[in-house]
Amino acid sequence: MGKRKKRSSDKVWCYYRDREFDDEKILVHHQKAEHFKCRVCHKKHSTAGGIAIHVLQVHKETVSQVPNANLLSTDIEVYGMQGIPSDLLEAHYGEEETNVPCIHNNLHLRAK
């Protein structure tokens, strides 16, 4: 068997801006403040779909792009690290999806 490529850090990263954070709680806070915040009333939401629905129902406008994001589509529901397509996770970490940090327990990653 070949050697597995070792990840440089156990940090989580923002799907929308490709920025790393120390833990998923900070990442979720960043996503709500930067990407899921209504530009009209400044209400924060948990997902891109949530902000799109809010803007449509409350402000009667259409949102098809995630605000302040490199990746623009609102079609993919991402919350923290959950919902990120597996091929993008592999590309970012350089290994299989099963070894990326998760919100519930990343202690096994630090024990190595």
Side-chain angles (χ1 to χ4, degrees):
M1 285 199 269
K3 278 190 167 183
R4 176 171 263 172
K5 186 189 255 185
K6 188 173 181 179
R7 187 177 331 124
S8 61
S9 71
D10 290 333
K11 293 185 176 187
V12 296
W13 60 281
C14 179
Y15 170 72
Y16 298 104
R17 194 176 285 160
D18 196 23
R19 180 176 162 197
E20 290 191 340
F21 296 89
D22 290 333
D23 64 41
E24 196 155 12
K25 185 177 179 180
I26 297 169
L27 170 62
V28 169
H29 178 75
H30 158 80
Q31 288 173 336
K32 287 181 179 182
E34 292 292 320
H35 306 300
F36 310 143
K37 183 176 169 183
C38 178
R39 63 178 175 80
V40 179
C41 68
H42 307 291
K43 184 173 180 178
K44 296 176 185 177
H45 297 271
S46 296
T47 64
I51 191 67
I53 291 169
H54 163 79
V55 171
L56 181 63
Q57 291 179 343
V58 176
H59 305 296
K60 310 300 184 224
E61 296 177 15
T62 308
V63 172
S64 60
Q65 299 177 341
V66 177
N68 303 315
N70 296 336
L71 303 170
L72 303 175
S73 176
T74 59
D75 295 338
I76 298 175
E77 285 292 315
V78 172
Y79 178 81
M81 292 288 291
Q82 298 172 356
I84 298 174
S86 60
D87 58 331
L88 293 176
L89 285 171
E90 284 183 33
H92 181 80
Y93 287 108
E95 56 188 42
E96 295 178 15
E97 177 185 3
T98 56
N99 292 327
V100 298
C102 84
I103 192 168
H104 302 293
N105 183 7
N106 66 358
L107 296 176
H108 68 282
L109 296 172
R110 295 172 198 217
K112 291 182 179 177

